[in-house]
Amino acid sequence: MIGSLLLAFGVGTVMALLGGGGSILTIPIFVYIMGFDPKASIAMSLGVVAVVSLAGVVSHWRAGRVDARIALLFGPVAMIGTYLGARLSIFLSGGVQLTLFALMMVAAASFMLRETLPTPGSPPEGSRPRIAWPLAGLAGVGVMTGLVGVGGGFLIVPALIFFASLPMKVAVGTALLIIVMNSVSGFVGYLGTPGLDLPFMATFAGAAIVGTLLGSRLTGAVPQKALRKMFAVFLIVMGILILYQNLR
């Protein structure tokens, strides 16, 4: 139990330092270290990410860095996609879900290795709709969240900056609120999955929240660019190992 609490503390610290990445860490921990079934691991990861992200939303909200109007515009579409993805997951084996998860890890790493994010207020050249495409994209992110448990913050933040013209700090806070909505919807979609350990999930989430408190204090002292690159390399290595494990 102490080991799992330390891992949860580490997950929370990383989430605070990077503004995301919780599910990318919790699912491998639940499957390969704690020994849970992949489907139960994805479900519990969604629950943990929802609780920890909600704690992050509270601090961003108090600082005025959450655009509730944008979250209510984009969030429900992503929630519908997430719930559908969770229900569709019954047609996939745990191994297939982990393979998709590994591919998402590599995709997340590629976004984290990018030097720049889009600038606010720069819509695609010659395009009129600024809402339809991002809504469709978020629905797709929601489906993948439900299928493999990845919250999609690495996609949501750039989308909010690019299409909703939000400043970076507001985009992060708003994305966290959308991730909470996504994760709750996905977790509801997984209710009834065999092997769910709700007391363990609650304890893990509590320790992760304590980790976020430390991480938020370390944010200014840790070089973010170097940290993101190291984490991205870690994701690529982990993604390749999971792919090897499930495709051999």
Side-chain angles (χ1 to χ4, degrees):
M1 177 59 75
I2 293 178
S4 65
L5 292 179
L6 291 175
L7 289 171
F9 184 84
V11 168
T13 303
V14 170
M15 287 185 69
L17 289 173
L18 297 175
S23 56
I24 286 179
L25 291 175
T26 52
I27 292 175
I29 288 172
F30 291 166
V31 174
Y32 297 107
I33 297 179
M34 306 309 298
F36 286 103
D37 177 80
K39 290 186 181 295
S41 297
I42 290 172
M44 290 190 295
S45 174
L46 287 167
V48 168
V49 169
V51 173
V52 178
S53 297
L54 181 59
V57 168
V58 171
S59 61
H60 281 282
W61 187 282
R62 289 175 175 172
R65 296 193 296 264
V66 176
D67 190 322
R69 181 181 62 86
I70 293 295
L72 290 175
L73 174 64
F74 288 90
V77 176
M79 289 176 71
I80 293 171
T82 303
Y83 183 81
L84 290 176
R87 302 310 300 168
L88 288 172
S89 68
I90 63 175
F91 298 106
L92 301 179
S93 68
V96 170
Q97 286 180 276
L98 287 178
T99 299
L100 291 173
F101 171 74
L103 293 173
M104 291 295 290
M105 289 180 78
V106 176
S110 69
F111 274 87
M112 296 184 77
L113 287 172
R114 292 178 61 181
E115 294 294 329
T116 59
L117 285 171
T119 55
S122 53
E125 185 177 345
S127 67
R128 288 177 55 193
R130 290 172 56 85
I131 296 298
W133 285 112
L135 286 177
L138 281 173
V141 170
V143 171
M144 290 307 298
T145 298
L147 284 175
V148 303
V150 176
F154 61 93
L155 291 174
I156 296 173
V157 171
L160 293 179
I161 294 172
F162 190 65
F163 291 103
S165 301
L166 295 182
M168 176 63 181
K169 290 183 179 180
V170 178
V172 170
T174 305
L176 273 176
L177 179 54
I178 294 174
I179 289 170
V180 172
M181 298 164 73
N182 265 6
S183 300
V184 169
S185 178
F187 181 72
V188 170
Y190 275 98
L191 286 178
T193 299
L196 285 182
D197 189 334
L198 297 183
F200 169 80
M201 186 188 78
T203 303
F204 194 96
I209 289 175
V210 175
T212 62
L213 298 177
L214 172 64
S216 61
R217 293 179 177 274
L218 294 176
T219 302
V222 178
Q224 295 293 296
K225 188 175 179 180
L227 182 64
R228 287 175 69 88
K229 287 188 174 182
M230 287 189 294
F231 189 66
V233 171
F234 168 76
L235 291 184
I236 291 172
V237 173
M238 285 295 299
I240 291 173
L241 288 175
I242 294 173
L243 282 173
Y244 173 77
Q245 181 75 20
N246 288 279
L247 294 178
R248 64 178 180 177

